[in-house]
Structure formats: C-alpha cells, structure tokens
Amino acid sequence: GSPTTLIEAVVSTQSTGDIMLDAHCEAIKVVGEPFAFDEPYDFVEKAAYKRVAKLLEVFAKHRITAPPEESYALNRKLSGAFLLCNKLNAVIPCKPLFDRVYQHKMNIVNM
C-alpha cells in the first residue's frame, strides 16, 4: 500500500487519536533525516535518537494494541544504529551511501 495507507493502518490498530498519527509521521521524518541531504549527517549534533525516544513515550501512552512483532525488530535495529552512531560521534554522508547501494540494487534487478 501507499505510505499514507500504511501509516493509517498502523495507527488504526494502535490508537483512536491524531496524536499517534502525528507521532508516527514525526518518527518517519526523524529516521529519514540522515538520508535527505548529500551533506554528512552529524548524529551527535542532530540527536535523532533522543527525538525518537520522546516519540516512543507517546506510542507507549496512546497505543491500544501492541505493534506487530516485525516493527519491534526494525525499531530495535534502527534505534541501535542511531545510538551507535551517536556514541561513535559519527558524521556520515548517509544519502550518498544510500544512493550508491540503491543504484547497485537497481542495476542487479534490471539485469
């Protein structure tokens, strides 16, 4: 489905209010931030993991049911990666790296 449909599906099983929709949208923006620009992303300066941690409080407070198990695994991996980058004082050109990996995958798919 489309991103909007996916978000609405997740939110509809988790809460009845706009608070959860806003929190999910904000979390997507924060997690995607390192990949939005060609410039190196400073994980310490941006402190994305702290912003996501605040959103996790919203999720825990307002959810109706637990999220699917798959989302827990993905959340743990992303959280761990962001926290590790923060602890290592990482400044990484994430978008160019992502673009290179994506282009490589597209070349394989189109062979």
Side-chain angles (χ1 to χ4, degrees):
S2 71
T4 302
T5 305
L6 178 60
I7 292 168
E8 288 171 351
V10 169
V11 172
S12 70
T13 63
Q14 308 246 333
S15 172
T16 58
D18 288 340
I19 289 174
M20 287 292 275
L21 181 58
D22 292 344
H24 277 89
C25 290
E26 185 60 27
I28 290 166
K29 288 192 306 189
V30 171
V31 171
E33 200 172 79
F35 307 98
F37 305 101
D38 287 327
E39 295 79 28
Y41 186 83
D42 187 332
F43 282 86
V44 174
E45 179 183 306
K46 303 292 184 181
Y49 81 96
K50 288 181 183 177
R51 291 184 281 151
V52 170
K54 288 182 183 180
L55 293 169
L56 292 175
E57 294 171 17
V58 174
F59 298 148
K61 182 178 179 182
H62 295 280
R63 75 177 184 207
I64 293 171
T65 62
E69 183 60 35
E70 303 83 31
S71 69
Y72 276 127
L74 180 59
N75 288 340
R76 282 192 294 269
K77 289 176 184 178
L78 286 171
S79 297
F82 274 68
L83 186 57
L84 179 62
C85 287
N86 183 276
K87 294 291 183 189
L88 294 173
N89 297 317
V91 179
I92 302 171
C94 297
K95 184 178 184 305
L97 291 172
F98 175 82
D99 290 344
R100 191 169 59 208
V101 169
Y102 180 79
Q103 188 60 47
H104 178 73
K105 178 164 178 62
M106 293 311 296
N107 289 339
I108 292 171
V109 169
N110 293 324
M111 289 184 147

